[in-house]
């Protein structure tokens, strides 16, 4: 395991970070979401990939 | 036609505003990368976490490049499809329940244009995400495992794309029928699962079924050839997609605006 090629793994991590950041930024900017904001913040940070996706699908109130 | 273009652009910009153009392609790229990377590191992962007895010789042959790409499409058809259906289940339903639907339809626009622009904009995003996801899968497969003839990939990918388009058209059809987006998602996913299971068990009986597209596509990727009957499900699927669009338009026309 000590010979992980970071060039291979880095893009995977980068995409997860982008998803998380965008979801968090949107969460902060939005006035109202479905449910509590702090719960979504935890969900987005703790469950990588699935958390942000769940937020984009279910969390954002369509106005 | 001018009206169509304007409405199509409006749909695209709405998708953009709801970040769909950001996260849907990213999710597909992630899905595309995961399969080849996992296949490549599987022996290491097993060694580290598998709890194998000391000194056990692990000899897992690296799967072929075509196999890895076929597995990637398998991921697309499970997780990818779930994400797509959930992302688009509200396409028509939410506009109806929120009343914007009525505001669109009091303007002199045709029902046909409303449905087809929504359908086309959705498929634009879906196709773009699918292509990006597949390209990352191809890149990693070629890099880590082995290269696969490009023609096989393109043909297999096109067959699979047709299946994806069929499912997404189902979303539009069910959206025109039901008022709840949950029902739309449930029925679409249920339909996709039933079609896949049936084609898995009775491949000889229903060679025309759209569900056969996935197995033809995976055959093409793994072995570079598939049965001569590919044209049958292909034609049937294209006819069904066209039919479902016409059906959705006529359903929406007949239904008075529901508030």
């Amino acid at each position: 395991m000590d010979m992980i090629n970071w060039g291979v793994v880095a893009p995977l991590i980068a995409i997860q970070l982008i998803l998380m950041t965008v979801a968090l930024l949107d969460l902060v900017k939005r006035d109202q979401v479905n449910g509590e904001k702090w719960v979504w913040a935890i969900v987005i940070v703790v469950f990588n990939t699935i958390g942000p996706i769940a937020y984009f699908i279910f969390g954002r109130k369509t106005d | 036609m001018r009206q169509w273009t304007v409405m199509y652009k409006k749909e695209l910009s709405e998708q953009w505003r709801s970040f769909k153009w950001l996260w849907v392609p990213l999710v597909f790229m992630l899905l595309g990368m995961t399969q080849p990377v996992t296949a490549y590191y599987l022996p290491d992962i097993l060694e580290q976490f598998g709890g194998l007895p000391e000194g056990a010789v692990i000899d897992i042959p690296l799967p072929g490049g075509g196999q890895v790409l076929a597995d990637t499409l398998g991921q697309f058809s499970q997780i990818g499809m779930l994400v797509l259906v959930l992302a688009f289940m509200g396409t028509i339903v939410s506009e109806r329940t929120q009343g914007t639907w009525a505001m669109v339809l009091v303007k002199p626009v045709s029902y046909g244009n409303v449905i087809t622009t929504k359908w086309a904009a959705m498929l634009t995003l879906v196709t773009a995400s699918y292509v990006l996801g597949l390209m990352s899968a191809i890149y990693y497969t070629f890099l880590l495992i082995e290269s696969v003839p490009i023609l096989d990939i393109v043909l297999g990918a096109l067959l699979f794309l047709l299946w994806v388009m069929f499912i997404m058209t189902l979303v539009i059809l069910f959206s025109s029928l039901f008022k709840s987006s949950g029902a739309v998602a449930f029925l679409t996913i249920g339909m996709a699962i039933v079609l896949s299971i049936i084609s898995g068990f009775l491949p000889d009986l229903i060679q025309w079924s759209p569900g056969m597209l996935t197995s033809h596509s995976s055959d093409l990727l793994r072995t570079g050839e598939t049965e001569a009957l590919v044209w049958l499900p292909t034609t049937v699927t294209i006819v069904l997609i066209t039919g479902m669009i016409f059906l959705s338009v006529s359903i929406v026309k007949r239904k008075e605006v529901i508030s």
Side-chain angles (χ1 to χ4, degrees):
Chain A
M1 260 331 235
D2 49 351
M3 38 167 215
I4 280 188
N5 184 349
W6 285 104
V8 168
V9 186
L12 287 171
I13 299 171
I15 290 183
Q16 293 181 350
L17 284 180
I18 296 174
L19 281 175
M20 190 200 284
T21 317
V22 175
L24 283 177
L25 283 179
D26 184 70
L27 180 70
V28 171
K29 269 200 312 192
R30 204 154 283 269
D31 293 330
Q32 268 198 316
V33 292
N34 292 326
E36 295 285 337
K37 272 197 171 191
W38 62 271
V39 178
W40 276 117
I42 294 174
V43 169
I44 290 169
V45 174
V46 173
F47 301 98
N48 68 51
T49 318
I50 296 173
I53 295 175
Y55 171 70
F56 284 125
I57 295 177
F58 301 110
R60 305 173 75 253
K61 265 209 175 104
T62 38
D63 31 28
Chain B
M1 198 58 208
R2 226 183 80 83
Q3 190 189 54
W4 197 91
T5 324
V6 171
M7 290 168 70
Y8 173 71
K9 283 193 183 139
K10 179 206 139 237
E11 288 298 325
L12 284 186
S13 74
E14 229 154 71
Q15 290 174 347
W16 184 253
R17 276 202 311 143
S18 61
F19 293 108
K20 284 206 178 85
W21 275 96
L22 184 88
W23 70 267
V24 181
L26 281 182
V27 168
F28 270 81
M29 287 169 75
L30 206 56
L31 278 178
M33 293 175 190
T34 312
Q35 198 64 37
V37 172
T38 323
Y40 183 70
Y41 281 119
L42 191 61
D44 289 330
I45 295 171
L46 280 183
E47 196 173 346
Q48 204 74 5
F49 305 108
L52 291 165
E54 200 64 36
V57 181
I58 309 164
D59 188 21
I60 303 164
L62 210 55
Q67 179 66 46
V68 172
L69 287 178
D71 290 346
T72 307
L73 289 189
Q75 293 287 324
F76 285 179
S77 75
Q78 290 167 15
I79 307 172
M81 198 75 88
L82 183 69
V83 166
L84 287 181
V85 170
L86 290 177
F88 288 103
M89 64 185 175
T91 323
I92 295 173
V93 177
S94 67
E95 289 195 12
R96 259 192 192 157
T97 46
Q98 284 159 13
T100 38
W101 187 249
M103 279 157 63
V104 172
L105 291 181
V106 291
K107 298 189 183 105
V109 296
S110 78
Y111 289 93
N113 276 356
V114 175
I115 296 290
T116 49
T117 47
K118 280 187 188 305
W119 177 78
M122 182 180 74
L123 286 193
T124 310
L125 173 54
V126 169
T127 310
S129 313
Y130 171 70
V131 169
L132 281 171
L134 195 65
M135 273 166 40
S136 8
I138 293 170
Y139 175 75
Y140 272 88
T141 308
F142 281 23
L143 187 75
L144 298 174
I145 295 160
E146 61 173 2
S147 53
V148 181
I150 292 290
L151 189 64
D152 293 347
I153 300 182
V154 171
L155 288 178
L158 282 177
L159 282 182
F160 191 84
L161 182 62
L162 194 58
W163 162 249
V164 176
M165 287 182 167
F166 172 75
I167 298 296
M168 297 321 282
T169 313
L170 272 181
V171 173
I172 293 282
L173 176 65
F174 287 137
S175 309
S176 64
L177 276 172
F178 301 104
K179 268 201 276 182
S180 120
S181 51
V184 173
F186 182 78
L187 283 169
T188 311
I189 291 168
M191 193 81 141
I193 293 174
V194 167
L195 279 176
S196 314
I197 290 180
I198 294 180
S199 352
F201 280 117
L202 308 162
D204 296 329
L205 274 179
I206 41 154
Q207 280 165 334
W208 49 268
S209 155
M212 292 304 289
L213 289 173
T214 49
S215 61
H216 282 309
S217 143
S218 128
D219 283 349
L220 257 176
L221 284 170
R222 281 185 293 119
T223 61
E225 51 192 52
T226 185
E227 298 150 61
L229 279 167
V230 185
W231 59 269
L232 195 59
T234 311
T235 323
V236 169
T237 310
I238 293 174
V239 171
L240 280 178
I241 290 178
T242 324
M244 287 195 293
I245 293 171
F246 276 108
L247 191 59
S248 316
V249 174
S250 74
I251 291 171
V252 168
K253 242 183 224 166
R254 209 166 312 147
K255 266 191 189 170
E256 287 302 304
V257 175
I258 325 163
S259 50

